[in-house]
Amino acid sequence: MLNPMTYQEKAKQFDQDEIAQLLQGRDTMVQRIEDLECQLKWFKEQLFGQKSERRPFVPAEQGALFDTLGHPTQSTNEAKLEQISYAREKGPKVRGASVTESGLRFDSSVIVKEIHLQSPRLEGPNADQYEQIGEKIVHRLAQRPSSYVVLKYIQPVVKHRPTGDITSVTAVSGVFEKSIADVSFLVGMMIDKFLYHQPLYRQHQKLKLNGITVARSTLTQLTHRCAELLRPIYDAQWESALLSKVLAMDETPVKAGHKKKGKLQQAYYWPVLGDKDEICFAFAASRGKKVAEKLLSGFDGTLLTDGYSVYERYAKRYNIEHAQCWVHARRYFVKAEKAEPELVREALEMIAKLYKTEQAIAAKNLLSEDVARHRQADCKPLVDAFFDWCKIQCENPQRLPTDKLSKALNYVMNREQPLRVFLKNPDVVLDTNALERGLRVIPMGKKNWMFCWSEIGAEYVGIIQSLMVTCRMHDINPSVYLVDVLQRIDSHPASVVHELTPRFWKEKFAANPMTSDVD
């Protein structure tokens, strides 16, 4: 029979078990607090912090700049004030009827520009056989960059004396038949909504303050019709992007459509950026692999992405060369900077040196073969040194798998091959920053319109933003482009619709674009 444990031994054993549990609970709570502090820091940075990832560099002598704060240098020359006065002539207050024959309503404060059309029958060789017996007036709403204008078309009505036939000069046809909106108004509405992120209800308020009475549903319908008219151009640009040797791809969330009462459906834009600076925002209801397979059907180049596993699985299945972004790898080290400042600094310095070397190579404007040779000679040793350093850090037995630095090391080590693709492919860039700059319009817009009421509305947002952002990449004024394209697309051959994409439009039509009568 075993001797029972004494009371003191039981108490000692109980104390050791309790202490072990307390220590384990403490470690768990410490880890939990660190995670919550990191989350809180991230939220604070999103609200109040800088969005740039540039590392601040402050020279040692910079402190001298602030030694004289509160003691401005007295200027020896006193500022001279000059009073300028001028006289301005006031326009007429009476503008005519406030309700037009087409239902356009406006008050007397709205500027009306009269455009007198000439009848060729009154100026031709048989002009003596015609006489003007009246006028036909058509009003069309137009827009200038900072104001609204109503175009008043005065069309002479002509009677042929021998036969008594009455004819009139037809006003220039608008983008949409029997629409009150001039092309300048349509473009101005889209620029305000998609470039300056003003929702239609705010534009409706601005119209009302400027004396224009238009239903909000009319603005929505006009926007949808413009997007549908531009869809063939978007499709042509998508096909052009898929022909790229290197295609950058990402995804960004958006709320679109109803899920249930009081809830909106979580959906995504899948922006792609081709090597000809053509960006397209494809809308999809999910973030799954099937969406990527559908969107990238027919693509056989190199896919440049972040570390999302869907892209890796897609590339393996379809035997596509897959490159990954160095900036996304760098961000994991930045997250660990507070916990391991010295080691993270070493990693960031090695990545920064790689970027400086790549920047020096790009500044030489070399051919692809020369770029590949310089990368092998200058960049490859830096990449090898970086991954050797990462392997050494991973072998440290004291490092826990839950450490922030361990997560950063595991991220880059698991993606070593995709991160090395740029060394052998000169067309691949180091990161997807250009794509992220392009897709910034989506999260910026959500600060204003928050969500898309329907999925078809989200598709229209993607169509218009694709063309506008591409215009910006090619230094094209989106207003000039859209005014021309909306008037040209109806008569442009469908077989060469690609000529209306911003890249080709700049070469073919930018020198002499079509304009609005308001100009």
Side-chain angles (χ1 to χ4, degrees):
M1 181 174 179
L2 298 175
N3 295 327
M5 296 178 62
T6 63
Y7 175 79
Q8 291 80 5
E9 291 176 345
K10 289 182 179 180
K12 184 178 180 181
Q13 180 67 30
F14 175 78
D15 291 341
Q16 290 177 350
D17 295 340
E18 186 179 36
I19 290 173
Q21 292 178 1
L22 290 175
L23 290 176
Q24 184 179 2
R26 185 200 63 178
D27 295 339
T28 303
M29 293 301 297
V30 168
Q31 184 64 40
R32 177 62 175 166
I33 291 172
E34 290 180 355
D35 293 340
L36 292 175
E37 286 180 347
C38 291
Q39 293 180 17
L40 179 60
K41 180 182 177 182
W42 183 86
F43 282 116
K44 286 182 176 179
E45 289 178 351
Q46 298 305 306
L47 288 175
F48 311 112
Q50 67 175 17
K51 300 300 183 290
S52 174
E53 297 184 90
R54 185 186 298 273
R55 306 292 292 181
F57 172 74
V58 181
E61 63 274 9
Q62 181 110 359
L65 295 175
F66 304 97
D67 292 342
T68 58
L69 284 178
H71 306 283
T73 305
Q74 298 294 331
S75 176
T76 57
N77 298 327
E78 295 183 357
K80 297 180 180 180
L81 300 178
E82 181 181 1
Q83 185 175 1
I84 301 175
S85 61
Y86 62 93
R88 182 173 62 185
E89 182 180 355
K90 298 181 68 176
K93 295 184 179 180
V94 180
R95 304 273 188 213
S98 60
V99 180
T100 67
E101 74 292 335
S102 56
L104 179 61
R105 290 168 288 175
F106 56 94
D107 59 26
S108 59
S109 64
V110 181
I111 299 175
V112 178
K113 178 181 178 180
E114 295 186 354
I115 302 174
H116 292 266
L117 304 179
Q118 301 297 327
S119 174
R121 293 181 174 84
L122 296 176
E123 298 175 354
N126 300 324
D128 56 341
Q129 299 183 14
Y130 296 89
E131 63 176 336
Q132 181 171 339
I133 60 174
E135 292 178 342
K136 182 179 178 181
I137 297 176
V138 175
H139 293 82
R140 190 170 292 149
L141 182 61
Q143 181 178 355
R144 290 193 177 114
S146 60
S147 63
Y148 296 98
V149 180
V150 172
L151 301 181
K152 182 179 179 179
Y153 290 89
I154 302 174
Q155 309 171 45
V157 180
V158 178
K159 177 182 178 181
H160 187 229
R161 288 171 178 167
T163 62
D165 295 336
I166 297 176
T167 57
S168 65
V169 179
T170 304
V172 179
S173 59
V175 176
F176 304 119
E177 187 177 358
K178 297 181 180 180
S179 175
I180 64 171
D182 182 70
V183 63
S184 60
F185 177 78
L186 298 174
V187 172
M189 180 177 58
M190 291 191 292
I191 292 292
D192 287 343
K193 178 175 175 60
F194 299 104
L195 184 61
Y196 302 122
H197 309 295
Q198 291 184 4
L200 292 182
Y201 80 89
R202 293 182 188 168
Q203 296 188 45
H204 181 262
Q205 294 172 349
K206 186 170 66 172
L207 283 164
K208 187 175 181 180
L209 290 175
N210 283 273
I212 308 293
T213 303
V214 178
R216 282 176 58 179
S217 59
T218 301
L219 302 182
T220 303
Q221 292 172 4
L222 290 174
T223 304
H224 286 192
R225 294 177 70 182
C226 288
E228 198 61 43
L229 197 61
L230 296 171
R231 186 188 290 273
I233 303 177
Y234 165 83
D235 294 338
Q237 184 164 287
W238 180 272
E239 294 177 359
S240 176
L242 291 182
L243 297 177
S244 302
K245 295 180 180 178
V246 179
L247 186 69
M249 193 172 192
D250 205 342
E251 71 286 335
T252 183
V254 63
K255 296 290 187 180
H258 292 272
K259 184 176 183 180
K260 59 181 180 179
K261 186 176 181 180
K263 296 291 184 179
L264 291 168
Q265 183 71 36
Q266 178 67 64
Y268 293 88
Y269 284 112
W270 292 69
V272 298
L273 176 64
D275 53 16
K276 301 295 190 300
D277 289 335
E278 294 174 310
I279 191 169
C280 293
F281 295 89
F283 173 79
S286 72
R287 195 176 175 228
K289 183 167 66 73
K290 292 182 179 180
V291 178
E293 293 175 351
K294 179 181 178 181
L295 295 178
L296 296 176
S297 176
F299 175 69
D300 59 354
T302 300
L303 185 63
L304 175 62
T305 69
D306 55 16
Y308 185 33
S309 58
V310 160
Y311 301 119
E312 182 180 1
R313 294 198 300 268
Y314 167 81
K316 289 182 178 179
R317 178 175 180 180
Y318 293 93
N319 197 23
I320 296 292
E321 186 177 41
H322 184 208
Q324 291 198 17
C325 172
W326 274 86
V327 165
H328 283 80
R330 178 184 179 276
R331 290 172 185 168
Y332 277 83
F333 287 98
V334 174
K335 293 179 182 178
E337 189 170 14
K338 183 178 178 180
E340 301 280 355
E342 295 298 328
L343 293 177
V344 169
R345 181 179 57 81
E346 294 182 23
L348 295 181
E349 286 179 354
M350 286 187 283
I351 297 176
K353 192 173 182 180
L354 174 63
Y355 267 83
K356 290 180 181 179
T357 305
E358 177 65 17
Q359 186 178 7
I361 295 174
K364 298 178 181 179
N365 295 323
L366 303 174
L367 298 176
S368 297
E369 298 80 3
D370 297 329
V371 171
R373 187 173 65 255
H374 278 76
R375 283 181 173 177
Q376 287 292 325
D378 302 332
C379 295
K380 188 176 184 300
L382 299 176
V383 175
D384 293 338
F386 173 77
F387 282 106
D388 290 341
W389 179 88
C390 290
K391 292 177 182 177
I392 294 174
Q393 300 304 320
C394 290
E395 293 172 356
N396 186 353
Q398 297 180 351
R399 189 167 306 286
L400 298 176
T402 56
D403 291 346
K404 295 291 187 297
L405 184 57
S406 295
K407 294 180 181 179
L409 294 170
N410 292 333
Y411 181 90
V412 296
M413 295 305 298
N414 292 334
R415 294 164 176 82
E416 180 177 359
Q417 294 304 319
L419 290 172
R420 286 179 175 270
V421 168
F422 81 100
L423 295 174
K424 59 180 181 180
N425 190 337
D427 297 321
V428 176
V429 294
L430 286 178
D431 52 52
T432 59
N433 281 359
L435 178 61
E436 291 193 354
R437 287 192 297 269
L439 67 83
R440 194 177 297 170
V441 295
I442 301 300
M444 287 178 64
K446 286 189 294 187
K447 291 290 185 179
N448 292 278
W449 42 261
M450 295 181 65
F451 59 87
C452 294
W453 188 254
S454 63
E455 293 187 358
I456 189 65
E459 290 185 20
Y460 289 153
V461 171
I463 290 173
I464 299 176
Q465 287 289 17
S466 299
L467 300 179
M468 284 192 174
V469 177
T470 304
C471 283
R472 186 182 66 193
M473 291 181 173
H474 290 269
D475 296 325
I476 298 173
N477 186 334
S479 179
V480 175
Y481 168 78
L482 290 173
V483 167
D484 177 89
V485 166
L486 285 176
Q487 297 179 93
R488 192 184 300 276
I489 189 172
D490 197 33
S491 58
H492 196 79
S495 58
V496 288
V497 68
H498 67 276
E499 294 179 349
L500 298 183
T501 59
R503 180 166 69 96
F504 290 99
W505 179 90
K506 185 176 182 180
E507 302 175 358
K508 193 172 182 65
F509 302 110
N512 188 26
M514 300 177 68
T515 60
S516 167
D517 288 336
V518 75
D519 301 323

